[in-house]
Amino acid sequence: MSAALRRLALKFDGRIQSRLSPAMKVKYNHPAGPRTIHFWCPVIKWGLVFAGMSDLARPVEKLSLNQSLSLMVTGLIWARYCLVIIPVNYFLCSCNVFLGITGFAQTARIVRHQYS
């Protein structure tokens, strides 16, 4: 089964590459291009950033301090990691920086509310 899926994926990939310009082929085949997890991870992870930003409209009483702290810490730790892996992934780093900023903003809102 896996051999059949691999042949199908290679056939599909060949059709895509045959329609690309030479400049786009370079980007498509890049080590952090759309054929790798280095591209799709930040694409999906931006959903966490947008969810955190949408929580800015929620009442502070309904926010979770643990969740906001974990988003902040996760974003900051992985932002550093994105700069030391090979290939360096600036797209993922920008996503993690924004995740950390969003988590920090939510944490600040919660702490300000709890101490006022």
Side-chain angles (χ1 to χ4, degrees):
M1 180 70 178
S2 65
L5 287 175
R6 182 154 181 83
R7 277 195 306 273
L8 182 65
L10 288 172
K11 185 177 180 180
F12 184 70
D13 186 56
R15 286 185 179 172
I16 290 173
Q17 290 201 42
S18 68
R19 294 182 177 152
L20 295 175
S21 68
M24 286 303 294
K25 280 184 185 179
V26 170
K27 292 177 183 169
Y28 183 73
N29 292 314
H30 189 271
R35 295 176 65 190
T36 67
I37 190 67
H38 297 287
F39 175 81
W40 291 106
C41 178
V43 167
I44 301 303
K45 200 167 190 178
W46 274 105
L48 287 175
V49 176
F50 294 136
M53 288 173 28
S54 71
D55 282 346
L56 290 170
R58 293 180 74 191
V60 181
E61 300 84 20
K62 293 190 176 196
L63 296 176
S64 166
L65 180 61
N66 289 338
Q67 179 182 350
S68 298
L69 277 171
S70 67
L71 286 177
M72 179 179 70
V73 172
T74 301
L76 297 177
I77 289 171
W78 286 102
R80 170 67 180 122
Y81 180 72
C82 295
L83 299 175
V84 296
I85 60 172
I86 296 174
V88 174
N89 196 335
Y90 294 111
F91 185 35
L92 184 57
C93 182
S94 68
C95 175
N96 284 315
V97 167
F98 277 98
L99 187 62
I101 291 170
T102 303
F104 177 77
Q106 296 292 34
T107 301
R109 282 182 64 205
I110 295 167
V111 169
R112 191 176 333 126
H113 175 72
Q114 288 179 351
Y115 286 105
S116 63

